[in-house]
Each structure stands twice: as C-alpha cells, then as structure tokens.
Amino acid sequence: MLTVVILALIALTALIGAFLLARHRVRLIEARHPPSAEFINVAGIRLHYRRTGNSAQPAILVLHGATSNLEEPFAALSERLEGEHVIWLDRPGLGWSDRPEGPWSPEREAALIADFLDEIGVSSALVVGHSWGGAIAMRLAMDHPARVDALLLIAPALSAWIGEAAWFNKVSFWPGAGWLLTHVIVPIVGEKQTAAGARSAFHPEPVPADYVSRTSLPLLLRPRTWRANAADMKCVNEHLEVQETRYQDIEHHTLVLAGKGDTVLWSHRHGGQVAARMPNGEMRWIGGAGHNLHHHHPEAVHDAILALRERAAGSSGLAVQNAE
C-alpha cells in the first residue's frame, strides 16, 4: 500500500512539474509572438485585426486557414498588396482573437465577421479565404451576400468528407486525456511539430526561411487556441455537409486558385468541381504549387483580385485557365 502511495505521489509530482513547464512554454510563446495589431470589441468579443494600405481603395478582407493567424497570409501577401486597402483578421478563437462560448460553426463565424465589418465601417469587401478560411468566406457570401463584393479562394476546403479528423483533434475533448493533451503535452512538444506541418502544407514547394517564426504559428499551441482549432477540425465534415449543397446559389464572381501538387486536400474536388457548379465561378491551376501557394505565387493572387474587380464591375465570360 505504501508503495502505491509513493508511486502516486511521484506521478502527481511529475504531472505538476510538466504542467508548470507547459505554462512556462506558453508564456514564452506569447512573449515571442505578442499581438501586433489592433483590438476591437464586437458583440462583446475581442477581435484582433490589422488594416493596411490605401483606405480609399475598395476593401479586401483576408481570412486565414486552420491552425494559423493573420500573420500567415500577411507574410505572404502584404508586400504585393501594399497599395490596396486590406483587412487582415485573426479568425475568432485563433491568433489573438477571442471566440464566444458554446458550439461554434461557420454560420456563427460568418455572422461575427459581418458584425466586425460593421464595427470598422466597411460595408462590403472582396473576401480572400485560404484553406478553411475559404469555407468561412463561402459561408459569409451565402448568409450575408451584401457584405461580399467577390470571392477569391486559395486552396479552399469546401466539400464534405474531406477525411477523418486527426486523432488529436478528437482527443482534445476527451475527459482527462483532453486536458492532459491541450494543457501539458501540446505546449511542451508541439513546437517541434510545427515545422513538419509546414513542410506538408508547402509540398512540393519549399518552406520559406523562418516561416514558423514569422507567421507566429506557435500561438496555436496555447490551450484555448488549440481547442478552438480542434473544435473546427473535428467537425469539419459536418460543417461542410451543411453548406456545400448551397454553393450553386452563390452568384458572386468567384475565383479559385489551387495547385495540383497540393497534398493537404484534393484540389479538383474542393476547387474545380465547386467552381464548375457556381454561376460565376472560375478555377485557375498554379503549376507546381502546393497548399500554401500564396507564399510562392503572390502575383497570381494579386492578378486574381484585379480580374475579380473587373468582372464584378460588369465584364463577363469566366473561363477555366491553366497556369501550368
């Protein structure tokens, strides 16, 4: 009996020590990647965003994908979009933005983003969405069409049955094991895995120098941020199944950029097939590109924005193009 008590005390001491180490790692991450833009209160929720460029230009709203924050697309596109009026948003729950309590969905996220646009005085914007941000952009166009001028979707995740949620997203919500994973294991060992995740997202193209640090990706490893992202991803198929049957009703001019080398998702199903169903949709393939194509092909993103503006202004005739 005494041996059992001693072993239990050793285990408890080890757990407390690991928890304290994890909290220290989280503090270090936040110190290295502090908020670098503005905060605004929207319906009682604090959101973090950056506004750049010429405010006299039509607005562009950029929505980053899963696991990341506004610094990710900013690092890729800010130089090329320097003369534009761009709004870079930490999506609710990620980066330095908060998320309301309760079940979360693209519908709730789109509603909060529409309220955010109200708060900053932007009536509508051309919406750029990367990966999971593409799904949110589509939801914004469906539920709040007047807020969207046009849609640019970069390697978007749009169709249901994208694959089973990763085990760690599910385990994050298990009793006991979920707390241990999110509050202890992820903050301690997760930073070593971010580089591997980046390689997968960029394949077959190289990862830019200092990508993980410059894009503040380690912010994902904080418990509340990890759980927010895991909540999105563990229900990704259900979310997409709800909305994908409505894509053909979206009349906004829409352009999808994707690479056939994308190993994160099947671009033809999530991009090509969806664009073909939309009345004003276009698919553009970027030769040799992976999932994070906006970093190596910012000019293609800017060209797409200009094309969308022309078409939204009244020109017609969207054609499938091949940039290979």
Side-chain angles (χ1 to χ4, degrees), residues 257-274:
L257 292 180
K260 291 183 179 178
D262 191 336
T263 57
V264 174
L265 48 78
W266 183 22
S267 293
H268 177 63
R269 182 163 183 259
H270 291 272
Q273 292 181 2
V274 171

Side-chain angles (χ1 to χ4, degrees), residues 96-243:
W96 286 96
S97 286
D98 294 335
R99 176 178 289 188
E101 295 294 328
W104 195 244
S105 67
E107 182 179 9
R108 287 192 70 191
E109 185 159 335
L112 185 57
I113 291 172
D115 289 341
F116 162 73
L117 292 175
D118 283 337
E119 288 292 333
I120 64 172
V122 172
S123 59
S124 64
L126 187 156
V127 183
V128 179
H130 173 236
S131 194
W132 184 241
I136 303 304
M138 291 286 259
R139 190 77 210 194
L140 187 64
M142 288 190 296
D143 295 349
H144 309 274
R147 315 314 302 268
V148 177
D149 296 329
L151 291 165
L152 173 54
L153 310 176
I154 303 171
L158 299 178
S159 298
W161 309 118
I162 194 171
E164 282 297 313
W167 66 269
F168 46 79
N169 290 322
K170 295 179 179 180
V171 172
S172 295
F173 296 91
W174 290 4
W179 182 91
L180 184 64
L181 179 68
T182 59
H183 287 82
V184 178
I185 297 174
V186 166
I188 292 176
V189 306
E191 208 155 356
K192 295 182 179 179
Q193 303 303 315
T194 53
R199 287 193 296 271
S200 175
F202 277 92
H203 182 82
E205 297 179 300
V207 180
D210 300 323
Y211 170 77
V212 171
S213 177
R214 288 193 304 117
T215 58
S216 298
L217 287 187
L219 288 175
L220 172 69
L221 307 178
R222 299 171 302 169
R224 68 174 182 85
T225 311
W226 178 270
R227 283 176 60 87
N229 185 74
D232 291 340
M233 295 299 99
K234 78 182 182 69
C235 298
V236 65
N237 288 313
E238 291 85 344
H239 291 323
L240 292 174
E241 189 176 22
V242 167
Q243 70 182 50

Side-chain angles (χ1 to χ4, degrees), residues 255-313:
L255 202 156
V256 181
L257 292 180
K260 291 183 179 178
D262 191 336
T263 57
V264 174
L265 48 78
W266 183 22
S267 293
H268 177 63
R269 182 163 183 259
H270 291 272
Q273 292 181 2
V274 171
R277 288 165 47 201
M278 300 177 73
N280 293 300
E282 175 188 352
M283 182 77 203
R284 287 188 180 179
W285 294 104
I286 308 297
H291 192 64
N292 281 5
L293 64 90
H294 48 301
H295 286 266
H296 291 290
H297 307 277
E299 188 65 39
V301 174
H302 189 236
D303 288 347
I305 289 171
L306 296 179
L308 284 167
R309 281 185 178 152
E310 290 179 2
R311 291 159 187 178

